Amino acid sequence: MTVTTRRTQDQRSAKTRRLLLDATIQSLMEVGYANTSTAGIAKRAGVSRGAQTHHYPGKMDLIVAATEEMFANFATGLETLAGELRAGRLSYDAFFDAIWDGVLNGDWFYSSLEIIVAARGDDELRRQLAPLILDLHERFETTWSRTFVAVDPAVVSSRVALNLAMNVFRGMAVQAVLRRDEAYFLEMLAALKAVIAVHVRPAENG
Amino acid sequence: MTVTTRRTQDQRSAKTRRLLLDATIQSLMEVGYANTSTAGIAKRAGVSRGAQTHHYPGKMDLIVAATEEMFANFATGLETLAGELRAGRLSYDAFFDAIWDGVLNGDWFYSSLEIIVAARGDDELRRQLAPLILDLHERFETTWSRTFVAVDPAVVSSRVALNLAMNVFRGMAVQAVLRRDEAYFLEMLAALKAVIAVHVRPAENG
DNA sequence: ATATACAAACAGGTCGGTTTGTTTTTATGA
DNA sequence: TCATAAAAACAAACCGACCTGTTTGTATAT
């Protein structure tokens, strides 16, 4: 007879689900998709394999649910950061520094990279993830349009300029897997700021 | 008794090795690293599993060798393209179009992406691939410096500007896995050309 | 009591590596 | 030059480990 605090079913479910999703993201981050197994996730989460299959019957259910949470967190985080910029509490430079730091050192980018690459060879997974990405990009673009104004919208809109910047970050993060070269990335980051600054400036008090 | 043309051992080896490496790249491209197995590679190559283990004892030997070939091919391909630009047989716009087309539709980018992501969770693989990437980047930078001149080298050098462009391509290609949106990428490509053109111009007759 | 949450063992399949055996080419020496 | 030993290339079966999904059973909450 074990001593357990009495919890409602919803509380038990929510707790177990959170443990499983956190463990999934952590596993993707640490060992990659290829080495992420449902058994490993359950072990990390500290729940039994039966509990895992009960809440998420298949591996894909885990992945998709974890992705959903991950994307939502990142979108709100980015919007918060952009809000700081609009409020004048964050400089243009610091804004880019913060995004780059999040991409390189946060859980978000590499976990999603693992999932995206896995989806390339898995039709069903791709089908399930595509709408999540579309939604994420839409939220990004809303943030960009709200936070920056273009110098000459006919040439490069703020939306396009910031999408370019995000793609640079993506590309740099991929590079960083095999080339951890601080000086190189600082150089690129400075250049990126300069290049983007030609076409766009922060919209104060958006 | 089968009728076989007599071949030297070196010829037999070379043929089998080529078949295996081509099959490896093809498999990475089509089904991804996670679904790429040594048995599958041997089957694609049309050689026995014994032949495969003879020439490449482990899975990593196959991957590393295939990567080496892939990188070499891409570097020379890019240098050829840059040569066309320097010779005036290719416009600035067409040069970028060609690179983007190669990244999105060629075997190169996605195969290497699979390998890079796999290396993130595999210390030994990462250790073996890191020098290959370093070498590739060096060849890139040599090409950039030879092919473009900076408008204001103190702000953004040609080397940095083109590295930025390559990172944009990387990022866009990752996006394209889940978002195959022709119009979006055309828009981004046009903006990239415009943004880079501010800082750099082709060095005619390099 | 009954549905939900959790636990643990099982089954079919695949993968990577190893081992054992066969064929083809090359080197050797009378 | 030609028989033959040695080496390289190739073939196929096997093995232990792991993974996903399933099933059967138990505890907890409603």
Side-chain angles (χ1 to χ4, degrees), chain A residues 90-105:
Chain A
L90 205 65
S91 71
Y92 172 86
D93 275 23
F95 178 71
F96 280 88
D97 291 342
I99 294 181
W100 172 236
D101 181 65
V103 167
L104 190 64
N105 301 121

Side-chain angles (χ1 to χ4, degrees), chain B residues 9 12-13 16 47-48 50-51 54-55:
Chain B
Q9 297 282 51
R12 297 175 81 197
S13 286
T16 304
V47 307
S48 77
H54 177 69
H55 292 287

Side-chain angles (χ1 to χ4, degrees), chain A residues 89-150:
Chain A
R89 286 192 294 271
L90 205 65
S91 71
Y92 172 86
D93 275 23
F95 178 71
F96 280 88
D97 291 342
I99 294 181
W100 172 236
D101 181 65
V103 167
L104 190 64
N105 301 121
D107 283 353
W108 179 73
F109 177 78
Y110 286 113
S111 300
S112 66
L113 182 64
E114 293 282 346
I115 290 167
I116 287 170
V117 171
R120 216 183 59 85
D122 185 329
D123 290 348
E124 179 59 16
L125 187 57
R126 202 171 58 240
R127 214 179 55 74
Q128 299 226 23
L129 293 180
L132 302 186
I133 277 274
L134 269 235
D135 181 62
L136 181 66
H137 290 172
E138 265 179 40
R139 292 188 63 176
F140 281 2
E141 299 199 342
T142 302
T143 297
W144 303 146
S145 300
R146 186 184 300 165
T147 310
F148 293 91
V149 293

Side-chain angles (χ1 to χ4, degrees), chain A residues 59-75:
Chain A
K59 179 176 184 177
M60 216 170 51
D61 302 286
L62 269 168
I63 299 291
V64 171
T67 304
E68 229 159 329
E69 203 191 64
M70 213 161 55
F71 282 7
N73 287 344
F74 187 72

